[in-house]
């Protein structure tokens, strides 16, 4: 005889060989389950005589015949209750109940079947029960083939009676009566009686189902089956009835959607309610509603927050995180001032244009910090599908909203600072034109009703502060460019790079590499050497990489036993780590021969100096151009040659241009070059070649040349002058109409260069070659033989 914990079961009977899920919530039952866990998960399941739910079951209310059961699965906790899965093992009879440690225990023993017939009778009854089971299974509407195979394999009459009784649609009182029947023959007859009754009922249901089957469509059948499945899940405790949908409806009502959007959301919610949880479309609708609920429809910033904007604090944030860039800082502060005066936060659209590494992306983060808003970044480089911007329609499998709506969702606010990085790298493919899709996003007159294809309802983007970044304006379509306020970010001067490195880059990398000023010091001379001789860029990205390399190299020395701290990095250490100088300023130390001039060029990476060389040789009057020159640059060279032939012909009388070839070459031939700004440089190069006069290597020039000899203005003056200053140039020739652009040039650069402003080609030649109409500058060798090439070449 065993002492077993007792689990009292209401309105249900567990039979040997059957399985039943139960929810255990009464304290008395919870204690019994926990005691069973200490006893090999064995518990005695006993039915209550009454169906009332009491906190404490009385012993007199328990039946004396029950089932020893195995707890196969359990989840939950003692505070909230357990959900258990019981599997009946064998029939037990209770001799005595007792209360132990807060639960009921029973002294019980196994109650085996009484064999009240001979073996042949039992064999006959087994066959009859199998045949009856087969007929019942055939009458059921669902697939019962596996259950039918299971019944055929059972050869134990006692087991089959329990299994059949557990699956028959009979009340718990009848099941308890079957359990308490001692004789196997009597129990089998009672089960057969219930089976016959169920068979008769099923035959009637089949007849009715056959008559009404044509009235029920496939959708109705699925609805009924899903409802049955949901009921089973609720009974098992897997889901809470109606709780999830009620919660979703509340979220929809509380999301603050506009009235039209709320109507769409509620209509979709009604569709979701009419569908089963396993319908593929229900998942699509649920995902759509989740997005609508997650979007920040309500305005995030209140008028009081806008009124409290502190311009001085915003200026401190911008100055602390970025050195220089005064123009854009001023623009951001102006925007803040307007917001404070108008007490509104309408969005703006800025385009930051500049070479890589000047801090465009990090500047966007600082603007967000100064405005007190969330920052969202989306990279547009390589995007070729307009659905990336405006989303896919929900009819497509795997549809999702575009990057704009996804970014707003991540921000959790409807007025973040949204950075569209690398807008000039947008592609265009057969899927559509993403640049065209951005027109609505970046138009202040349209983006208040931006329509994402997946969302399919308008969303207000007018409060978003959009900041786009680009390296060049050339690849941005005109209509898109027209919607943005362009702010140029040119490269840094050497002094600015020195300040940025000392105050931003070095402290950051020292910290990231576990170094401190007590261990390592970098002298200004060594840092300047690193900037000027090992990097050549408009920004500071390569400089940061060099500092990282230096940190790794110095970390080993810091840990060396022979090192004396702090270690001071000098010029010799820079050369030891990085080797020979990568860049040298050969312009300031080299004498140019006649026919060589220095021009200034603009690139997406900043300004660059450009050497132009010319040579003269016997030929047929051809102009030979090499160095991957574009069409505009070729035309500039032709204009320069025409001016030389027409204006300088009296200086070299009798020179037969048709018997000489002029070869003009621009080094760095692997790099394409184009634009009109090399016009006066081409003129000076050819004039230098023909007159035999050298041009100072410390002189550079840029300007467009017309056929009448006028010098026209060009762009990129700031970047070009910074490049000239960096390369050691001392004097620069510009168009007089470019004088207005000099105010944007850093003071350090303006003071380091002598800038000559000219209007005509004659002024250019006077400055570059000291050449005027009163001077005889026929090249040596042309006085005696006009067909001879200049000896200065």
């Amino acid at each position: 005889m065993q002492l077993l914990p007792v689990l009292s079961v209401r309105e249900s009977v567990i039979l040997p060989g059957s399985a039943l899920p139960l929810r255990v919530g009464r304290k008395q039952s919870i204690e019994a389950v926990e005691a069973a866990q200490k006893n090999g998960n064995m518990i005695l399941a006993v039915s209550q005589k009454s169906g009332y739910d009491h906190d404490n079951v009385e012993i007199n209310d328990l039946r004396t015949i029950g089932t020893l059961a195995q707890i196969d699965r359990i989840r939950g906790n003692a505070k909230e209750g357990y959900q258990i899965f019981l599997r009946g093992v064998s029939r037990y009879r209770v001799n005595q109940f007792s209360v132990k440690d807060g639960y009921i225990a029973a002294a019980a023993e196994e109650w085996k079947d009484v064999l009240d017939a001979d073996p042949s009778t039992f064999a006959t009854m087994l066959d009859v029960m199998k045949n009856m089971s087969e007929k019942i299974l055939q009458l059921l509407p669902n697939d019962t083939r596996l259950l039918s195979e299971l019944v055929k394999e059972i050869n134990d009459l006692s087991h089959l009676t329990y299994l059949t009784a557990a699956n028959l649609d009979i009340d718990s009182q009848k099941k308890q009566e079957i359990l308490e029947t001692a004789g196997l023959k009597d129990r089998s007859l009672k089960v057969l009686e219930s089976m016959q009754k169920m068979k008769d009922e099923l035959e009637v249901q089949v007849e009715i189902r056959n008559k009404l089957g044509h009235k029920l469509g496939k959708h109705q059948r699925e609805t009924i089956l899903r409802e049955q499945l949901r009921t089973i899940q609720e009974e098992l405790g897997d889901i809470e009835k109606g709780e999830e949908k009620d919660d979703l409806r509340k979220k929809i009502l509380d999301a603050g959607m506009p009235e039209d959007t709320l109507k769409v959301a509620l209509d979709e919610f009604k569709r979701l309610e009419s569908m089963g949880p396993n319908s593929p479309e229900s998942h699509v609708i649920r995902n759509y509603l989740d997005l609508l609920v997650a979007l920040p429809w309500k305005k995030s910033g209140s008028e009081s927050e806008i009124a409290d904007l502190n311009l001085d604090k915003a200026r401190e944030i911008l100055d602390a995180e970025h050195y220089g860039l005064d123009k854009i800082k001023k623009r951001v502060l102006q925007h803040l001032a307007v917001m404070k005066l108008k007490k509104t936060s309408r969005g703006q659209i800025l385009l930051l244009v500049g070479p890589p590494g000047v801090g465009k992306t990090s500047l966007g983060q600082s603007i967000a910090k100064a405005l007190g808003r969330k920052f969202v970044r989306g990279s547009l480089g390589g995007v070729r599908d307009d659905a990336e911007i405006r989303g896919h329609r929900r009819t497509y499998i795997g549809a999702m909203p575009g990057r704009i709506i996804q970014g707003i969702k991540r921000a959790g606010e409807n007025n973040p600072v949204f950075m569209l990085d690398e807008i000039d790298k947008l592609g265009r493919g057969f899927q559509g034109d993403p640049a065209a899709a951005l027109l609505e996003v970046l138009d202040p007159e349209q983006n208040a009703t931006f329509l994402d294809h997946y969302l399919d309802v308008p969303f207000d983007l007018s409060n978003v502060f959009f900041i786009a970044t680009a390296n060049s304006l050339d690849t941005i379509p005109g209509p898109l460019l027209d919607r943005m306020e362009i702010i140029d970010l040119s490269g840094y001067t050497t002094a600015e790079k020195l300040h940025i490195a000392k105050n931003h880059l070095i402290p950051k990398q020292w910290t990231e590499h576990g170094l401190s000023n007590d261990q390592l010091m970098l002298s200004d001379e060594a840092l300047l050497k690193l900037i000027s001789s090992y990097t050549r860029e408009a920004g500071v990205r390569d400089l940061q990489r060099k500092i990282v390399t230096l940190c790794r190299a110095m970390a080993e020395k810091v840990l060396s036993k022979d090192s004396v701290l702090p270690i001071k990095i000098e010029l010799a250490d820079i050369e030891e780590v990085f080797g020979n100088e990568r860049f040298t300023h050969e312009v300031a130390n080299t004498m140019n021969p006649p026919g060589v001039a220095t021009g200034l060029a603009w690139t997406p990476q900043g300004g660059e100096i450009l050497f132009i060389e010319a040579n003269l040789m016997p030929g047929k009057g051809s102009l030979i151009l090499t160095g991957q020159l574009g069409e505009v640059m070729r035309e500039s060279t032709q204009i320069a040659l025409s001016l030389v032939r027409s204006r300088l012909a009296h200086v070299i009388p009798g020179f037969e241009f048709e018997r000489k070839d002029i070869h003009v070459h621009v080094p760095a031939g692997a790099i394409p070059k184009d634009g009109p700004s090399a016009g006066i440089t081409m003129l000076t190069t050819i004039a230098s070649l023909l007159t035999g006069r050298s041009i100072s290597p410390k002189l550079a020039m840029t300007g467009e040349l017309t056929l009448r000899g006028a010098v026209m203005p060009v762009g990129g003056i700031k970047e070009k002058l910074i490049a000239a200053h960096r390369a050691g140039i001392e004097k620069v020739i510009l168009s007089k109409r470019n004088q207005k652009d000099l105010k944007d040039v850093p003071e350090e650069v303006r003071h380091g260069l002598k800038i000559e402003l000219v209007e005509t080609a004659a002024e250019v030649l006077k400055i570059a070659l000291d050449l005027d109409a009163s001077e005889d500058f026929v090249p040596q060798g042309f006085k005696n033989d006009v067909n001879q090439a200049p000896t200065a070449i």
Side-chain angles (χ1 to χ4, degrees):
M1 187 175 297
Q2 297 175 267
L3 186 64
L4 300 168
V6 174
L7 177 65
S8 57
V9 183
R10 289 185 302 110
E11 299 178 353
S12 184
V13 178
I14 300 174
L15 297 173
S18 65
L20 184 69
L22 287 177
R23 175 174 289 180
V24 179
R26 292 183 292 198
K27 183 177 180 181
Q28 195 177 58
S29 299
I30 290 173
E31 294 288 348
V33 169
E34 292 180 345
Q37 287 182 289
K38 301 175 183 178
N39 189 33
N41 283 335
M42 302 302 293
I43 195 167
L44 185 62
V46 179
S47 298
Q48 294 178 211
K49 295 177 182 178
S50 65
Y52 299 110
D53 186 9
H54 302 289
D55 290 338
N56 292 307
V57 179
E58 299 294 334
I59 292 175
N60 295 333
D61 196 29
L62 295 176
R63 300 185 183 274
T64 56
I65 303 299
T67 303
L68 181 66
Q70 171 83 37
I71 302 176
D72 280 350
R73 193 163 59 245
I74 182 169
R75 60 180 178 177
N77 53 61
K79 183 178 179 181
E80 298 178 0
Y82 291 108
Q83 293 177 8
I84 63 175
F85 191 82
L86 292 180
R87 178 173 52 83
V89 178
S90 60
R91 182 172 60 171
Y92 264 59
R93 179 170 56 191
V94 178
N95 292 324
Q96 184 180 359
F97 288 109
S98 61
V99 177
K100 179 183 179 183
D101 298 332
Y103 64 90
I104 298 176
E109 61 182 351
E110 185 178 1
W111 191 28
K112 297 186 178 181
D113 294 330
V114 176
L115 301 179
D116 51 353
D118 56 77
S120 60
T121 302
F122 291 144
T124 302
M125 296 186 78
L126 179 64
D127 293 337
V128 172
M129 193 171 290
K130 283 186 177 183
N131 292 333
M132 185 75 73
S133 299
E134 183 68 27
K135 291 177 182 179
I136 291 174
L137 292 174
Q138 290 176 355
L139 292 172
L140 293 174
N142 49 333
D143 188 0
T144 59
R145 288 176 293 180
L146 292 177
L147 193 55
S148 178
E149 292 295 328
L150 176 62
V151 171
K152 290 178 181 179
E153 296 296 326
I154 297 176
N155 295 317
D156 185 347
L157 179 60
S158 178
H159 177 54
L160 184 58
T161 57
Y162 287 135
L163 180 63
T164 306
N167 289 280
L168 285 174
D169 188 13
I170 56 179
D171 57 32
S172 58
Q173 183 67 30
K174 186 67 174 178
K175 290 183 179 180
Q176 183 66 29
E177 184 182 334
I178 292 172
L179 180 65
E180 293 180 355
T181 303
L184 180 56
K185 176 184 174 183
D186 291 342
R187 187 166 74 245
S188 300
L189 289 174
K190 288 181 180 181
V191 173
L192 284 170
E193 180 184 350
S194 298
M195 292 176 71
Q196 182 63 47
K197 183 179 178 181
M198 182 177 181
K199 176 176 171 293
D200 294 339
E201 291 175 354
L202 287 173
E203 287 175 345
V204 175
Q205 291 179 13
V206 169
E207 184 179 353
I208 296 173
R209 192 162 59 243
N210 289 337
K211 290 180 180 179
L212 300 178
H214 65 282
K215 296 182 181 180
L216 289 175
K218 180 181 178 182
H219 178 70
Q220 291 170 295
R221 291 176 181 272
E222 289 181 353
T223 302
I224 293 171
L225 292 173
R226 288 194 189 102
E227 190 60 34
Q228 291 175 349
L229 177 61
R230 181 174 179 81
T231 303
I232 294 171
Q233 290 175 329
E234 290 174 357
E235 188 66 27
L236 293 174
D238 290 342
I239 58 175
E240 296 295 333
K241 185 176 182 180
E243 184 178 319
E244 289 185 358
K245 288 188 177 179
D246 290 343
D247 184 51
L248 179 59
R249 181 182 179 85
K250 185 177 184 302
K251 287 180 179 179
I252 292 173
L253 295 174
D254 295 342
M257 302 178 194
E259 186 175 345
D260 293 342
T261 304
L262 180 60
K263 184 178 181 301
V264 171
L266 291 176
D267 289 343
E268 292 293 324
F269 180 75
K270 289 179 182 178
R271 289 183 59 205
L272 179 64
E273 282 188 315
S274 65
M275 295 179 180
N278 294 326
S279 171
E281 193 173 355
S282 69
H283 297 292
V284 175
I285 297 175
R286 182 58 190 258
N287 290 337
Y288 175 67
L289 291 176
D290 286 341
L291 175 64
L292 287 179
V293 168
L295 285 175
W297 299 95
K298 293 181 179 179
K299 188 176 180 180
S300 59
S302 65
E303 291 187 1
S304 61
E305 290 174 344
I306 296 173
D308 292 338
L309 283 174
N310 191 324
L311 296 183
D312 292 333
K313 183 178 179 181
R315 185 181 291 107
E316 289 176 6
I317 292 173
L318 293 174
D319 289 339
E321 298 187 359
H322 289 84
Y323 181 73
L325 306 179
D326 295 330
K327 186 176 181 181
I328 189 169
K329 290 178 184 177
K330 185 177 180 181
R331 174 65 185 84
V332 174
L333 292 172
Q334 290 171 352
H335 173 71
L336 285 173
V338 172
M339 283 175 55
K340 188 167 184 177
L341 290 173
K342 292 184 66 178
K343 295 182 172 56
T344 182
S345 58
R346 302 295 292 179
Q348 295 292 316
I349 302 167
L350 303 181
L351 174 59
L352 308 182
V353 184
V358 295
K360 298 185 295 296
T361 303
S362 60
L363 188 59
Q365 296 174 335
S366 298
I367 292 174
K369 190 175 179 181
L371 291 172
R373 299 189 187 182
K374 294 288 184 66
F375 177 77
V376 182
R377 176 184 171 274
S379 178
L380 300 180
V383 172
R384 302 175 63 86
D385 187 354
D386 62 350
E388 293 279 342
I389 307 298
R390 305 193 64 170
H392 305 81
R393 299 194 182 276
R394 282 182 287 144
T395 52
Y396 296 106
I397 296 175
M400 59 191 301
R403 297 191 180 195
I404 304 300
I405 293 298
Q406 289 184 34
I408 298 295
K409 177 185 174 184
R410 288 197 307 272
E413 297 179 357
N414 64 0
N415 63 342
V417 174
F418 202 125
M419 173 160 282
L420 300 172
D421 224 353
E422 309 291 356
I423 199 171
D424 57 328
K425 309 297 191 305
L426 281 172
R428 185 174 183 177
F430 66 90
Q431 301 96 332
D433 185 1
L438 279 174
L439 293 177
E440 182 183 6
V441 176
L442 300 181
D443 192 335
E445 303 300 324
Q446 300 181 40
N447 62 10
T449 55
F450 172 69
L451 190 67
D452 184 275
H453 288 156
Y454 182 88
L455 203 60
D456 206 26
V457 291
F459 189 88
D460 187 2
L461 297 177
S462 60
N463 294 322
V464 179
F465 195 132
F466 283 105
I467 301 176
T469 70
N471 298 129
S472 171
L473 300 178
D474 297 339
T475 56
I476 303 177
L480 184 59
L481 197 61
D482 184 58
R483 285 162 166 78
M484 298 180 283
E485 180 180 346
I486 301 172
I487 298 179
D488 291 314
L489 278 77
S490 57
Y492 296 111
T493 64
T494 300
E496 288 175 333
K497 288 183 180 180
L498 181 65
H499 185 281
I500 292 170
K502 290 176 64 176
N503 294 279
H504 296 278
L505 302 182
I506 291 177
K508 178 183 176 182
Q509 296 305 325
W510 257 224
T511 302
E512 289 190 1
H513 289 81
L515 299 170
S516 67
N517 292 331
D518 296 334
Q519 298 171 317
L520 202 62
M521 295 176 62
L522 180 60
S523 65
D524 289 351
E525 294 78 8
L527 185 55
L528 280 172
K529 184 72 172 179
L530 187 62
I531 293 171
S532 60
S533 300
Y534 294 92
T535 64
R536 179 167 289 181
E537 56 176 344
V540 293
R541 188 169 291 157
D542 191 30
L543 176 59
Q544 179 170 316
R545 285 194 290 266
K546 293 293 187 293
I547 293 174
V548 170
T549 302
L550 189 62
C551 288
R552 291 197 300 264
M554 291 296 109
E556 182 182 0
K557 290 189 176 182
V558 168
L559 296 176
S560 176
K561 293 185 293 185
D562 301 330
S563 298
V564 178
L565 300 181
I567 298 175
K568 188 173 183 180
I569 304 175
E570 301 288 357
L571 295 175
D573 298 307
I574 297 294
E575 293 178 359
E576 179 185 347
V577 174
F578 298 103
N580 296 329
E581 297 181 7
R582 291 182 58 197
F583 305 104
T584 56
H585 299 300
E586 67 277 4
V587 175
N589 301 317
T590 305
M591 286 298 296
N592 288 343
V596 177
T598 304
L600 299 175
W602 180 92
T603 71
Q605 288 73 38
E608 292 289 346
I609 60 171
L610 197 68
F611 299 103
I612 298 178
E613 304 170 348
N615 205 349
L616 190 67
M617 65 196 83
K620 299 180 180 180
S622 300
L623 176 63
I624 304 170
L625 301 174
T626 56
Q628 265 207 83
L629 307 185
E631 188 63 31
V632 176
M633 202 165 183
R634 289 174 175 270
E635 291 175 356
S636 297
T637 310
Q638 187 62 58
I639 291 171
L641 179 60
S642 298
L643 274 174
V644 170
R645 294 184 64 176
S646 62
R647 302 293 177 91
L648 301 183
H650 67 283
V651 181
I652 46 175
F655 180 72
E656 298 180 356
F657 283 95
E658 64 276 2
R659 296 178 61 184
K660 303 293 180 182
D661 287 345
I662 297 177
H663 185 174
V664 177
H665 174 68
V666 183
I671 302 174
K673 310 166 192 72
D674 202 5
S677 62
I680 63 173
T681 315
M682 292 293 185
L683 170 70
T684 311
T685 302
I686 295 174
S688 169
L689 174 70
L690 297 180
T691 61
R693 299 191 178 199
S694 297
I695 304 170
S696 170
K698 298 182 180 180
L699 171 68
M701 60 197 75
T702 181
E704 182 179 357
L705 187 66
T706 68
L707 197 57
R708 57 187 173 86
V711 179
M712 306 298 290
V714 293
I717 295 300
K718 179 180 178 181
E719 291 81 0
K720 291 176 180 178
L721 292 184
I722 290 175
H725 182 264
R726 186 170 60 231
I729 298 295
E730 296 178 355
K731 183 188 292 187
V732 176
I733 300 176
L734 300 177
S735 169
K736 191 171 185 179
R737 291 167 62 181
N738 276 125
Q739 185 173 6
K740 63 183 185 300
D741 299 312
L742 296 179
K743 63 182 181 181
D744 295 330
V745 179
E747 185 177 353
E748 172 198 355
V749 175
R750 288 202 309 268
H751 289 170
L753 294 173
K754 183 178 181 182
I755 299 174
E756 301 282 359
L757 300 175
V758 300
E759 293 181 306
T760 64
E763 296 176 73
V764 175
L765 296 178
K766 176 64 177 175
I767 296 170
L769 301 175
D770 194 22
L771 188 66
D772 56 34
S774 62
E775 182 178 351
D776 183 7
F777 45 81
V778 178
Q780 182 182 359
F782 276 92
K783 290 185 177 180
N784 299 323
D785 185 0
V786 296
N787 294 325
Q788 180 181 352
T791 57
I793 298 301

